Amino acid sequence: MNASQPAPGHGNTPTTLSRRRLLQTGVAGAAAAAASQLLPPQLARAADTYDSMRDVWVRMLTGTGFDPTAAPFAGALSSLGSQAGSFQSTMAPSGGSLWPDLPIGTVSANVTGTYTRLRTMALAHVQANTGLTGSSALASAISTGLDWMHAHAYTPTTTTYNNWWDWQIGAPQRLLDVCALMYPSLTQAQTAAFCAAVDHFVPASTVATYSGTSTGANRVDLCRVLALRGVLGKSSAPLSTAKQALSPVFPYVREDDGIYADGSYLQHTYIPYAGTYGQVLLGGLSKMFTLLAGTTWAVTDPAVQNVFGAVTTAWAPFLYNGLVMDGVSGRGISRGVSSSDPSMIQQDDHTRGQGIVSDILRLATSGLASPAQSAAWKAMVKGWLKRDYYAPVLSSKVLEIPELARAKALLDDATVTASAEPVESRVFGMDRAVHRRGGWSAQLSLCSARTSFYETGNGENLRGWHTNSGMLHWYGDTYGNGQYSDAFWPTVDPYMLPGTTVSTRPLADAAGGAWGASHPNATWAGGTTDGTYSAVGQDVRGLQSTLTGKKSWFCLDDSIFCLGAGITCTDGTGVRTTVDNRNLGAGNGQVFTVDGAVQPATLGWTQTFTDCGYMAVGGMGAWVFPGGATVQAKRVARTGAWSDINTTSSTIPITRNYLSLWFEHGTDPVGAGYSYQLMPGATATAAAARAANPNVTVLSNTAQAQAISCPPLGLTMANFFAAGSAGPITVDGPCSVLMKEQGGSMTVVVSDPTRAAATVRVTIARSTYKSVSASSGVQVLTTSGQVVLLAETGGTQGAGRAVALSTSGTAPANATASHLGATATTYVRDGSYADTNYGNATTMVVKNTATANDGYNRRSLLAFDVSGLSGRVSRAVLWVYGNVQDSAGTQTTLQAFTTSSGDWTETGVTWNTAPSLITVLGTGTLSKGYDWVGLDVTGAVAAAQVSAGGNGTVSLAVFEPLGVAGLAAVLRTRLNTANPPVLEVIAD
């Protein structure tokens, strides 16, 4: 078949494309008309809804609005044709394979790989200017390949083996792409047969529940398979299933996989994954939205706005000048060059970043988001593309034609002004932090009981053991963007990752188990931020090691100040903190200066510097050591292969040179520590000036508290790993505190990275502040003589609570904070359990089935003695601790109620004798993860005060919103020694 002749098949009578279809491809008017001339005529027109949708998908695969004879498209199309021609010439159908190097039968990846090659051939057949456009021989080879795979590999009766992903996502996605591209050349019988195979591996039941492998990015991928199968088979049922199955992806989650309100994105339960699985989710959704728009199956769920919002909260913070930071790419950092890739193209932070940037641009040009959102996204994308000096997008070898076309159109669009690099600081609940300035950016990777040391699996990321032990990634605007792109991961010493503190105890490949199986048993990881500056910390533990220690990073304007304390280990091996490990690339010309003296550039050189004041690497940055320190340094060439860390990657040796800087804490250290200041981009002269005139004072560096002050910025920041004091700050439990004083105002932000406490009391030795100008989740108890705050940290998932005070205005009345334990707690149950008492239990249950007397409704009851309270109650919060334990879902809403009477007893009350619910009070959200929920019960407590005419006891019920079915939530009772209910009362 050639490009000017329609192929025999099952195409229908053509009709003109609607304007909606042209707009969905991001092209309008003459550009769209011109683009359609670059496609075979049978792809330029469509007959019905299914054909129109197929046409939209083909255009997303092939691109529009570009000149195939111009750069960069001509070269990309020529390469595509060459690769397709190579596949065509080497295809050799036999009993065991379509290509000899991809045998079928034991390795499921070979099934996906085979369809990937057929997809390349199909693209070369349909695309203009490939040298194989419209080739009848190529079309015949593709058809032969599809039939062979249907007969021998991907059949309606094949039993799966190896990796589920290949059967349900990898293979069917590529198969359906080929079918869409070659649709006019295929017979109805072929299409029906291929759809039947997809039905076998990906039935509707794969998305029946939002659990297991059917969540987050995987769920979007499965929906894409179902939708395309519906389009190609002209069947509405799979499309309806796909549309409905997308909805669970949109709501914010508080546990497990998905998008969190703070911008976190997790996959595989424990892994921060915005850079790989997150890219799959974003890319899949942007394509699905475009495919379904304007049809019966258009996505109308209002929660889709969460996805649009996440573009700026979940993805943009980790994108820097076109790359995506490795700390959110999981085991993907180890892939590098695949041994099965004939082009030997390396996957790295830039190629992954280009994918995400392309997905955002696809959303921005789809017409689906608001004009304001789309304009903001385009401006962000243009900024990233214009600033990416290291791997310019138009030179990309991994992006396909449609993505290149959109990028070039944006770069050529004079109406879009590129956004500048933002100045911001973010701390995420997924144990990640990002600090951005105009000339540089940094990202911290931590771990805790909530996240894993690292992820390995499928033979990938075999030596990523310490990547989350405080690794500090940093990049410059015009320097250092190849630090992790240039074969860093296969050549770096895995025991010397920048910023980490580790035991050098030898670890086996994949130590700790697959899929994030190993977690530290510490909960302190995270910190607090005011959006511009951050205090970040970690209670660090060693993987398969006795190592413990405390680490902090204080993120400032031109630097990050780093502290370590309490570093202790009994492994019988050395322990070190790596200040940095700069990848010098294949060359070795960078000048290294220590205290004004240029050091040798000889590979193999090593030196111990005592009482060192500063170090600097020309063109990269500098490190200052307040008060002097003993620092080890070496220049070394390291050789490795991608296959060392990923079993499916290239075995070709690679050598890169490194300048390594570290503190040697010795064998089995006890209470070791360190202090240094990283200054990205700084020269040796700037470092010398900083060493001579420090801008930071260390207030504390112990295992209990790490704190600094930075007078030029008005900042005092502290990480408390236990109750205690540091500088002007005293706290009653673990927390992170950031103070900024400037121009007669003070802002204080408090968080609890451990997520263990309902409230944290913070006392600040400042007497000049009076009035409260703004507050969120913080109660000001007094400003008389000192500032005393009560931060309500429960249920925030580690987020900060903030208050702003001023030296002017009228001081608020002094208040007291009381925390009362319950005098009685229990629950009651309806139906056949209506006369059963559940007193003397350590847990109580809440569930509203919205069906009366079915035996599954349960309410919790609590009583508190408030007779000892004095003063006016201004705020009262009932804090309960527990989690959702229900197979029907993961998240529910709890609600507090007043009851008709307090005349019930813990060991006597039943459903039939329990007081009725009267007044609706506060609400809160609970998920599968154990957490505090704070329910506002101010009115009930005020009414129960003796001084207000009450009887001194407040009786409360916890249930779910009336008339709405909820999930079973299990809460702790007063008899539980861990986190029993607490009534917080603020009175003045």
Side-chain angles (χ1 to χ4, degrees):
M1 182 184 76
N2 60 49
S4 62
Q5 296 175 326
H10 48 267
N12 294 281
T13 304
T15 59
T16 304
L17 271 175
S18 69
R19 181 174 179 274
R20 178 186 73 82
R21 289 303 168 194
L22 296 177
L23 291 177
Q24 284 180 336
T25 63
V27 184
S36 68
Q37 301 305 311
L38 303 177
L39 296 171
Q42 69 272 14
L43 297 181
R45 296 174 181 271
D48 60 16
T49 298
Y50 298 110
D51 289 336
S52 179
M53 294 174 75
R54 174 172 48 81
D55 181 73
V56 168
W57 191 259
V58 168
R59 289 173 184 272
M60 279 197 283
L61 294 175
T62 57
T64 58
F66 65 92
D67 181 353
T69 65
F73 311 108
L77 290 166
S78 176
S79 295
L80 174 65
S82 296
Q83 190 173 46
S86 175
F87 291 151
Q88 180 184 359
S89 65
T90 56
M91 193 174 81
S94 67
S97 68
L98 196 55
W99 278 277
D101 61 327
L102 295 177
I104 302 298
T106 58
V107 180
S108 61
N110 289 350
V111 179
T112 299
T114 299
Y115 278 126
T116 299
R117 293 183 182 182
L118 291 172
R119 182 182 183 276
T120 299
M121 293 163 66
L123 282 169
H125 179 267
V126 171
Q127 293 275 31
N129 206 35
T130 66
L132 292 172
T133 307
S135 164
S136 59
L138 181 60
S140 178
I142 295 167
S143 180
T144 296
L146 290 173
D147 288 341
W148 189 94
M149 289 295 287
H150 182 71
H152 298 90
Y154 202 77
T155 82
T157 59
T158 298
T159 299
T160 63
Y161 51 84
N162 209 198
N163 192 338
W164 71 272
W165 182 90
D166 291 298
W167 302 102
Q168 294 190 342
I169 295 176
Q173 282 191 352
R174 288 150 181 80
L175 165 61
L176 292 167
D177 280 355
V178 177
C179 290
L181 292 164
M182 301 303 297
Y183 187 85
S185 301
L186 303 176
T187 66
Q188 290 183 351
Q190 282 179 304
T191 300
F194 304 150
C195 285
V198 172
D199 291 342
H200 169 64
F201 294 105
V202 194
S205 60
T206 59
V207 295
T209 62
Y210 196 68
S211 61
T213 57
S214 186
T215 60
N218 288 334
R219 169 61 71 102
V220 175
D221 269 342
L222 292 168
C223 289
R224 170 177 158 181
V225 171
L226 289 166
L228 262 294
R229 182 264 178 265
V231 168
L232 292 167
K234 298 195 173 185
S235 172
S236 64
L239 279 157
S240 297
T241 299
K243 173 194 172 179
Q244 294 166 1
L246 281 176
S247 284
V249 175
F250 305 147
Y252 291 133
V253 300
R254 294 177 62 86
E255 192 77 10
D256 294 343
D257 298 350
I259 301 169
Y260 290 67
D262 76 339
S264 296
Y265 180 84
L266 295 183
Q267 194 80 32
H268 292 173
T269 307
Y270 312 110
I271 315 299
Y273 246 137
T276 42
Y277 278 94
Q279 189 272 321
V280 172
L281 178 134
L282 183 62
L285 286 176
S286 67
K287 292 175 182 177
M288 288 289 287
F289 294 158
T290 304
L291 175 69
L292 302 176
T295 73
T296 303
W297 308 282
V299 175
T300 56
D301 189 331
V304 76
Q305 285 297 327
N306 292 339
V307 177
F308 293 163
V311 169
T312 53
T313 61
W315 284 284
F318 295 98
L319 289 163
Y320 186 73
N321 295 351
L323 64 82
V324 62
M325 300 171 183
D326 277 339
V328 291
S329 290
R331 70 185 193 281
I333 61 174
S334 72
R335 289 173 183 154
V337 179
S338 172
S339 59
S340 62
D341 179 6
S343 300
M344 302 297 286
I345 297 173
Q346 179 181 285
Q347 299 181 49
D348 54 42
D349 51 3
H350 280 275
T351 60
R352 287 186 290 273
Q354 289 168 356
I356 298 175
V357 169
S358 298
D359 296 333
I360 295 173
L361 186 54
R362 185 185 299 109
L363 267 183
T365 57
S366 69
L368 301 175
S370 70
Q373 281 179 316
S374 296
W377 294 342
K378 288 180 183 179
M380 282 195 311
V381 169
K382 191 166 189 176
W384 292 325
L385 298 185
K386 289 178 69 68
R387 292 192 296 270
D388 190 354
Y389 73 92
Y390 183 82
V393 67
L394 296 185
S395 300
S396 174
K397 295 181 180 179
V398 298
L399 293 182
E400 295 187 335
I401 295 296
E403 286 64 51
L404 291 173
R406 275 190 293 272
K408 188 174 190 306
L410 179 67
L411 288 170
D412 292 343
D413 187 349
T415 68
V416 178
T417 301
S419 294
E421 174 67 13
V423 173
E424 64 177 7
S425 208
R426 300 277 304 276
V427 179
F428 296 85
M430 61 178 177
D431 297 343
R432 295 293 184 270
V434 173
H435 189 63
R436 306 173 76 102
R437 288 298 181 266
W440 59 279
S441 186
Q443 186 257 308
L444 281 159
S445 293
L446 320 175
C447 59
S448 69
R450 300 175 297 271
T451 55
S452 66
F453 282 108
Y454 77 115
E455 186 189 53
T456 184
N458 290 339
E460 297 184 308
N461 203 27
L462 299 174
R463 299 175 187 171
W465 316 300
H466 302 304
T467 46
N468 297 331
S469 294
M471 185 170 179
L472 176 56
H473 313 245
W474 56 278
Y475 319 80
D477 54 352
T478 59
Y479 61 90
N481 285 357
Q483 165 74 5
Y484 313 104
S485 309
D486 187 15
F488 175 85
W489 294 106
T491 59
V492 72
D493 182 342
Y495 297 92
M496 296 193 73
L497 301 180
T500 61
T501 298
V502 306
S503 165
T504 58
R505 177 182 181 180
L507 294 171
D509 286 356
W515 314 118
S518 292
H519 309 253
N521 60 356
T523 57
W524 211 119
T528 193
T529 180
D530 65 357
T532 304
Y533 306 100
S534 292
V536 185
Q538 181 180 20
D539 183 358
V540 70
R541 307 296 170 90
L543 174 64
Q544 296 184 350
S545 166
T546 61
L547 173 70
T548 62
K550 307 299 191 298
K551 296 169 68 70
S552 288
W553 301 262
F554 300 103
C555 302
L556 308 171
D557 270 342
D558 66 353
S559 60
I560 298 177
F561 203 92
C562 309
L563 294 177
I567 299 169
T568 301
C569 189
T570 58
D571 287 353
T573 57
V575 174
R576 67 169 63 117
T577 295
T578 301
V579 175
D580 221 315
N581 203 358
R582 300 310 291 173
N583 181 0
L584 306 179
N588 189 36
Q590 295 85 349
V591 175
F592 178 48
T593 304
V594 178
D595 291 338
V598 174
Q599 303 301 311
T602 308
L603 291 174
W605 167 85
T606 184
Q607 183 69 47
T608 298
F609 295 93
T610 59
D611 198 28
C612 175
Y614 71 89
M615 296 176 167
V617 178
M620 291 186 175
W623 303 263
V624 176
F625 305 95
T630 299
V631 186
Q632 311 288 324
K634 67 179 178 181
R635 278 188 190 250
V636 62
R638 289 185 54 83
T639 299
W642 285 105
S643 59
D644 295 338
I645 59 174
N646 193 310
T647 57
T648 63
S649 295
S650 169
T651 60
I652 298 174
I654 307 168
T655 298
R656 291 294 180 266
N657 301 318
Y658 285 86
L659 177 63
S660 307
L661 314 174
W662 75 99
F663 299 114
E664 196 66 59
H665 301 303
T667 299
D668 293 344
V670 177
Y674 61 84
S675 173
Y676 67 96
Q677 188 171 17
L678 164 66
M679 300 177 64
T683 63
T685 300
R690 179 60 52 81
N693 186 25
N695 67 336
V696 169
T697 299
V698 177
L699 303 176
S700 178
N701 188 21
T702 70
Q704 289 71 46
Q706 294 176 316
I708 67 163
S709 67
C710 182
L713 299 178
L715 288 171
T716 302
M717 298 190 281
N719 290 326
F720 293 94
F721 299 95
S725 299
I729 305 171
T730 299
V731 301
D732 71 348
C735 63
S736 180
V737 182
L738 183 151
M739 288 171 49
K740 182 170 176 60
E741 299 176 275
Q742 192 172 46
S745 66
M746 177 173 70
T747 300
V748 182
V749 189
V750 183
S751 72
D752 174 15
T754 70
R755 309 187 189 184
T759 63
V760 175
R761 183 185 293 255
V762 179
T763 301
I764 301 172
R766 293 288 190 267
S767 59
T768 58
Y769 296 100
K770 297 179 181 178
S771 61
V772 179
S773 55
S775 182
S776 176
V778 177
Q779 308 302 313
V780 179
L781 302 182
T782 186
T783 59
S784 177
Q786 60 185 356
V787 175
V788 182
L789 311 171
L790 187 72
E792 296 175 347
T793 54
T796 62
Q797 297 197 310
R801 294 295 206 176
V803 64
L805 300 103
S806 173
T807 56
S808 61
T810 303
N814 290 342
T816 60
S818 302
H819 289 79
L820 306 178
T823 56
T825 53
T826 189
Y827 73 99
V828 295
R829 184 173 183 175
D830 73 349
S832 60
Y833 305 92
D835 289 320
T836 303
N837 172 262
Y838 294 93
N840 297 322
T842 58
T843 59
M844 52 189 177
V845 187
V846 172
K847 184 170 184 177
N848 181 8
T849 67
T851 301
N853 296 317
D854 66 356
Y856 294 100
N857 287 292
R858 281 152 285 186
R859 298 174 184 168
S860 291
L861 297 171
L862 306 95
F864 295 87
D865 180 2
V866 297
S867 61
L869 296 176
S870 60
R872 181 187 66 89
V873 173
S874 60
R875 179 168 176 77
V877 179
L878 170 63
W879 292 100
V880 291
Y881 187 87
N883 73 332
V884 169
Q885 298 182 22
D886 197 314
S887 60
T890 63
Q891 189 167 300
T892 196
T893 298
L894 299 185
Q895 197 157 46
F897 297 80
T898 59
T899 66
S900 59
S901 168
D903 188 18
W904 55 271
T905 64
E906 186 174 76
T907 57
V909 69
T910 68
W911 183 276
N912 283 336
T913 63
S916 58
L917 307 181
I918 300 298
T919 305
V920 175
L921 300 171
T923 62
T925 302
L926 193 64
S927 66
K928 285 171 50 181
Y930 284 96
D931 205 353
W932 288 102
V933 178
L935 306 174
D936 190 325
V937 294
T938 305
V941 173
Q945 281 184 284
V946 172
S947 60
N951 62 7
T953 297
V954 60
S955 175
L956 302 169
V958 177
F959 196 41
E960 291 168 331
L962 300 178
V964 179
L967 303 174
V970 179
L971 310 176
R972 305 279 173 86
T973 71
R974 71 180 186 92
L975 301 178
N976 202 311
T977 57
N979 298 326
V982 174
L983 182 64
E984 168 204 340
V985 182
I986 309 296
D988 52 37

